[in-house]
């Protein structure tokens, strides 16, 4: 009979733990090597972009619509047709866009770095200030936190809700503290929860009245078109337009890339922002490069044609990864829900599922899983300084393993969760009995 672990007697729990240990041992003997750590597309997903390799060949005309020869130097901010395509993907006008190189994370790093060394729009460079702080919605994306940590920026966690960051806290902190210069946001299908910011959240962002004149919202819309379902998709209000309406057109830097659309590491990244911000950024960029990879930009344009081509392409991704997300949820629902252990999100897009283990258990679960060959994202990684105060959150990345490997990995994961939790409850029972 299925019973909530908390309602089990000591003897029942001991029996359950013995069964779990036996199951765990069986997995140990299997000598597995499975990885659910990073949000990487699987082989099949990469295969659907192979046509891009044929979009250009040695017979191709590598001229842009305006006659620019893509084989040569030049065009600092990207070819026009790439701006049109990526603009449509980001829901921004081509004139608000700079096309960069192969990684949006790189653009985010550069953006922080530029503010740090040279300041934003005539404000004091952050390196000359005693204190610079960033708000970090948690759980969040470890690589965002790594950038701000690298620059010695103090990170302040702000709780996420299914509607986005707790805006009461964001509004209060941003309006009172001039040393708060930015906030990391993944507004659609967030990493790791798969939450999308509500209309009200986006409007409240646009209406922020920061104490710092150089406060910027770092709006990383990495998963803007990464839906899992045709008929049930999240929708996000466009932030640049909303900031403009609210009278703060310069308050946001918006990032995106085709990393999880074509080839991660060989896609194209872009920044969308106000014309004022663009002008300042281009003045710096001209000292950094003569221009990014236009051949790759052209290849993407010729492969997709337009945004409709891109949307069709995303349906192929969804067809591959949807069953994986559903398998993860099915196993969590089957193995943990009846025992009332943990909580998890049910994303409609993006790349991750966020799992909250009972408090104090995440590290031990990830360690246990690792010892039987299942690699998860490190516990704590979803928090600034890798410090999850509840030691509870674990990010699940379902896309990379094959469906059968994923099922095995998840079955092991749920055994580890139950094992660690049963162990914890038993220890608590013993301690209470001794007290
Ligand atoms: C929220 C978010 N932003 C950015 C990236 C990385 O993007 P890029 O490959 O363009 O650097 C990822 C990858 O996992 C991500 O989850």
């Amino acid at each position: 009979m299925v019973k909530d672990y908390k309602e089990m007697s000591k003897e029942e729990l001991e029996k359950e733990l013995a069964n779990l240990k036996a199951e765990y041992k069986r997995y140990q003997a299997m000598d597995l090597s499975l990885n659910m750590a990073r949000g990487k597309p699987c082989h099949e997903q990469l295969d659907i972009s192979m046509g891009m390799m044929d979009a250009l060949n040695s017979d191709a005309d590598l001229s842009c619509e305006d006659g620019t020869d893509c084989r040569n130097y030049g065009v600092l901010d990207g070819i026009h047709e790439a701006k049109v395509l990526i603009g449509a993907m980001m829901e921004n006008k081509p004139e608000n866009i700079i096309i960069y190189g192969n990684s949006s994370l790189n653009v985010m790093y550069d953006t922080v770095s530029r503010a740090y060394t040279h300041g934003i729009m005539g404000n004091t460079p952050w390196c000359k200030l005693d204190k610079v702080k960033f708000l970090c919605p948690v759980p969040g994306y470890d690589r965002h936190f790594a950038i701000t940590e690298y620059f010695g920026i103090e990170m302040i966690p702000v709780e996420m809700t299914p509607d986005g960051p707790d805006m009461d806290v964001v509004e209060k902190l941003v309006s009172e503290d001039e040393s708060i210069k930015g906030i990391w946001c993944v507004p659609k299908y967030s990493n790791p929860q798969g939450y999308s910011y509500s209309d009200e959240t986006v409007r409240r962002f646009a209406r922020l009245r920061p104490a710092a004149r150089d406060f910027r919202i770092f709006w990383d819309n990495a998963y803007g078109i990464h839906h899992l379902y045709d008929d049930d998709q999240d929708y996000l209000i466009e932030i640049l337009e909303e900031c403009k309406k609210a009278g703060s057109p310069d308050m946001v830097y918006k990032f995106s890339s085709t990393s999880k659309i074509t080839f991660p590491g060989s896609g194209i990244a872009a920044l969308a922002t106000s014309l004022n911000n663009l002008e300042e950024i281009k003045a710096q960029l001209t000292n950094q490069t003569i221009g990014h990879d236009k051949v790759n930009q052209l290849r993407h344009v010729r492969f997709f044609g337009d945004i409709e081509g891109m949307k069709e392409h995303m349906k192929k991704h969804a067809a591959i990864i949807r069953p994986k997300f559903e398998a993860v949820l099915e196993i969590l629902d089957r193995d943990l829900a009846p025992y009332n252990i943990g909580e998890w999100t049910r994303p409609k897009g993006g790349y991750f599922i966020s799992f909250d283990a009972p408090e104090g258990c995440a590290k031990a679960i990830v360690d246990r899983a690792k010892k039987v060959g299942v690699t998860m994202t490190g516990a704590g990684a979803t928090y600034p300084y890798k410090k999850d105060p509840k030691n509870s959150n674990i990010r699940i990345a379902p896309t990379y393993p094959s469906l059968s490997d994923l099922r095995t990995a998840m079955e092991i994961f749920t055994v580890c969760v139950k094992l660690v939790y049963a162990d914890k409850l038993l220890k608590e029972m013993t301690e209470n009995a001794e007290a």
Side-chain angles (χ1 to χ4, degrees):
M1 198 196 60
V2 170
K3 206 169 175 185
D4 192 323
Y5 274 22
K6 275 202 186 127
E7 284 162 15
M8 285 188 189
S9 67
K10 188 158 181 267
E11 291 67 37
E12 283 173 320
L13 211 47
E14 275 167 349
K15 196 166 159 224
E16 177 75 4
L17 187 61
N19 288 339
L20 289 164
K21 281 188 175 162
E23 214 173 327
Y24 185 79
K25 223 171 185 170
R26 268 209 326 274
Y27 286 125
Q28 241 167 351
M30 287 165 73
D31 198 18
L32 296 164
S33 174
L34 306 169
N35 196 317
M36 287 196 292
R38 303 295 331 170
K40 294 204 296 191
C42 61
H43 285 288
E44 292 80 3
Q45 284 180 273
L46 300 174
D47 286 347
I48 64 174
S49 297
M50 283 306 285
M52 203 172 62
M53 295 289 95
D54 305 324
L56 302 179
N57 61 25
S58 58
D59 295 328
D61 177 3
L62 297 195
S63 310
C64 293
E65 285 158 9
D66 68 0
T68 302
D69 188 339
C70 283
R71 297 170 303 179
N72 219 329
Y73 272 139
V75 196
L76 182 67
D77 53 354
I79 63 173
H80 181 72
E81 43 268 65
K83 288 188 187 175
V84 171
L85 177 68
I86 301 298
M89 177 186 102
M90 293 177 79
E91 301 175 338
N92 294 111
K93 294 187 192 124
E95 54 265 36
N96 288 105
I97 293 202
I98 298 180
I99 305 285
Y100 277 79
N102 70 330
S103 148
S104 62
L105 207 62
N106 188 217
V107 186
M108 293 175 229
Y109 178 99
D110 260 1
T111 309
V112 172
S113 177
R114 189 173 50 249
Y116 191 81
T117 55
H118 286 71
I120 295 175
M121 288 194 178
N123 289 282
T124 310
W126 295 352
C127 67
K128 295 201 173 145
L129 298 173
D130 289 339
K131 195 77 171 155
V132 175
K133 300 177 194 160
F134 250 62
L135 301 185
C136 299
V138 289
Y141 180 36
D142 54 350
R143 292 186 189 273
H144 284 163
F145 304 154
I147 292 176
T148 25
E149 184 171 4
Y150 181 71
F151 282 94
I153 294 171
E154 184 182 321
M155 294 181 278
I156 305 171
V158 176
E159 282 304 313
M160 274 291 281
T161 75
D163 284 334
D166 182 335
M167 289 310 289
D168 290 342
V169 174
V170 172
E171 283 166 352
K172 184 173 175 346
L173 293 176
V174 157
S175 65
E176 288 176 355
D177 188 346
E178 206 189 339
S179 64
I180 296 176
K181 301 296 188 189
I183 179 166
W184 288 118
C185 295
V186 184
K188 196 157 168 190
Y189 301 132
S190 65
N191 178 349
Q193 309 89 337
Y195 291 153
S196 298
Y197 293 10
S198 69
D199 291 0
E200 198 202 332
T201 300
V202 179
R203 295 207 171 99
R204 287 175 77 174
F205 261 109
R207 281 159 186 70
L208 284 177
R209 290 288 170 258
R213 279 191 304 163
D214 51 351
F215 172 86
R216 292 291 183 274
I217 302 166
F218 286 63
W219 197 258
D220 178 6
N221 204 12
Y223 301 111
I225 57 169
H226 300 57
H227 310 285
L228 287 174
Y229 298 92
D230 264 2
D231 54 351
D232 189 11
Q233 305 186 341
D234 286 355
Y235 155 87
L236 183 73
I237 295 190
E238 204 294 303
I239 185 77
L240 253 65
E241 195 52 39
E242 208 54 34
C243 283
K244 202 169 164 183
K245 276 197 244 160
S248 308
D250 301 331
M251 194 167 56
V252 59
Y253 297 130
K254 182 170 166 184
F255 309 92
S256 197
S257 78
T258 64
S259 280
K260 287 167 184 172
I261 297 173
T262 56
F263 300 142
S266 306
I268 48 179
L271 171 86
T273 191
S274 69
L275 298 182
N276 282 339
N277 285 336
L278 279 189
E279 199 181 316
E280 180 178 63
I281 293 166
K282 281 196 266 185
Q284 174 259 332
L285 197 59
T286 188
N287 300 295
Q288 192 176 22
T289 179
I290 305 172
H292 293 100
D293 182 348
K294 294 187 294 302
V295 174
N296 199 28
Q297 293 171 24
L298 192 66
R299 190 186 286 134
H300 277 74
V301 172
R302 298 254 171 103
F303 179 56
F304 287 119
D306 59 19
I307 184 64
E308 293 313 315
M310 228 179 207
K311 286 183 183 165
E312 282 307 308
H313 189 77
M314 292 316 288
K315 287 185 189 169
K316 296 182 192 162
H317 279 294
I320 297 168
I321 64 176
R322 190 172 49 241
K324 298 186 180 183
F325 276 76
E326 289 176 349
V328 169
L329 295 176
E330 179 203 312
I331 292 168
L332 291 171
D333 288 345
R334 186 195 66 197
D335 293 355
L336 299 181
Y339 302 95
N340 205 10
I341 304 174
E343 287 175 13
W344 49 94
T345 55
R346 315 185 82 86
K348 289 189 270 174
Y351 257 65
F352 305 99
I353 291 170
S354 180
F355 178 81
D356 283 323
E359 262 191 66
C361 291
K363 277 204 171 77
I365 293 168
V366 172
D367 286 351
R368 278 271 183 192
K370 179 92 195 155
K371 284 191 186 125
V372 269
V374 176
T375 307
M376 314 283 306
T377 312
T382 51
Y383 281 75
Y385 312 107
K386 298 193 170 45
K387 282 188 194 142
D388 173 359
K390 292 189 182 151
N391 183 16
S392 159
N393 188 251
I394 298 171
R395 184 179 78 165
I396 298 174
T399 56
Y400 188 68
S402 68
L403 190 54
S404 72
D405 279 357
L406 180 69
R407 293 192 79 91
T408 310
M410 279 310 296
E411 275 158 9
I412 293 174
F413 176 73
T414 56
V415 168
C416 295
V417 172
K418 289 199 273 188
L419 207 161
V420 169
Y421 186 44
D423 207 22
K424 179 179 183 251
L425 287 177
L426 268 171
K427 279 192 185 123
E428 282 170 5
M429 276 182 189
T430 315
E431 278 163 18
N432 288 343
E434 283 166 3

